[in-house]
Amino acid sequence: MADFSDEAHSAPEAKRDIRVALLAARRALTADQRAGAAASVLAELVDLVRRLRPRRMTGYVPVGSEPGGPGMPEALRAALPAGGELLLPVLRDDLDLDWAAYAGPDSLVAAGRGMREPDGPRLGRAAVGGAELVVVPALAVDRRGLRLGRGGGSYDRALARVPASALTVALLHDGEFVDVLPAQPHDRPVRAVITPSGGLRTLGDAPGVDRHTSAGRIRG
């Protein structure tokens, strides 16, 4: 397991260097490797949704080499219980996140930074606070649950609105769950990660996850 800590760098500089390395590694993945990782991560996530049966959850539309694949929202919506709601992020001009309900592939429109967003009514930044399961992108996560994003701070702000009762899960490629990442005061941890080879791994007390009934698929 990698260790990206570096006392010779300040946290912002160290994070920048790590982002460059991780994004290069993702770009180097072959199409088959990306497809295989997407399928494995998505299968594990769908299984989690079916077991937790959240009334409201959040997801996103993976872009480029992000794990999960572009079909992730539709798979998550299909896994939700009757009446369950899937919210997707809408990037605001100030880089904070608003939210809107996902209503199917035809409801997605192109947005900035290569993202696709739902075109329905905006529910406000606080809507994430009502979610029982929050799925977030990340470039890396360490054993403390601290995640490295792309540097805009959007998800750190969103995670600050998530109650302790919700399960927050980051989706990663193999090799992106690491020992230690450089951290700053605004960084917000997640409570679990999913990787293609390691499946679901909980970090500390993960709400709503029973370690003893998961057929060995949850690894702490």
Side-chain angles (χ1 to χ4, degrees):
M1 188 174 294
D3 183 345
F4 283 119
S5 62
D6 188 347
E7 295 179 357
H9 288 76
S10 68
E13 292 170 338
K15 285 182 175 182
R16 184 171 59 247
D17 292 345
I18 296 165
R19 284 191 192 98
V20 170
L22 290 170
L23 287 169
R26 285 189 174 186
R27 287 193 296 270
L29 294 171
T30 67
D32 286 346
Q33 288 172 324
R34 292 182 187 186
S40 296
V41 166
L42 184 56
E44 193 77 28
L45 180 57
V46 165
D47 179 72
L48 178 65
V49 173
R50 288 174 175 161
R51 287 189 288 114
L52 294 184
R53 298 179 59 79
R55 290 164 294 182
R56 171 181 279 186
M57 69 170 292
T58 75
Y60 57 96
V61 185
V63 297
S65 57
E66 288 183 333
M72 188 169 79
E74 191 64 13
L76 294 180
R77 185 173 71 149
L80 282 168
E85 184 179 39
L86 172 63
L87 303 186
L88 300 184
V90 178
L91 187 65
R92 292 163 42 104
D93 290 341
D94 62 1
L95 299 186
D96 207 340
L97 296 179
D98 204 329
W99 302 88
Y102 174 70
D106 292 341
S107 71
L108 296 177
V109 297
R113 303 188 175 207
M115 297 173 60
R116 293 179 64 77
E117 300 173 345
D119 60 3
R122 292 353 185 195
L123 303 177
R125 292 174 295 177
V128 68
E132 299 165 68
L133 175 62
V134 176
V135 182
V136 303
L139 293 176
V141 174
D142 72 13
R143 285 186 172 274
R144 300 167 294 177
L146 294 177
R147 65 177 280 281
L148 180 71
R150 292 179 179 264
S154 301
Y155 273 96
D156 286 318
R157 279 176 272 185
L159 288 170
R161 303 179 182 113
V162 175
S165 58
L167 179 63
T168 51
V169 183
L171 308 185
L172 302 171
H173 285 287
D174 289 332
E176 295 175 348
F177 179 57
V178 304
D179 288 329
V180 179
L181 287 168
Q184 294 174 273
H186 65 262
D187 291 332
R188 298 285 175 162
V190 294
R191 300 184 176 101
V193 299
I194 295 177
T195 61
S197 296
L200 177 66
R201 182 188 297 265
T202 57
L203 310 171
D205 272 339
V209 177
D210 187 345
R211 293 172 181 266
H212 304 293
T213 60
S214 58
R217 299 183 70 180
I218 297 177
R219 304 164 178 87

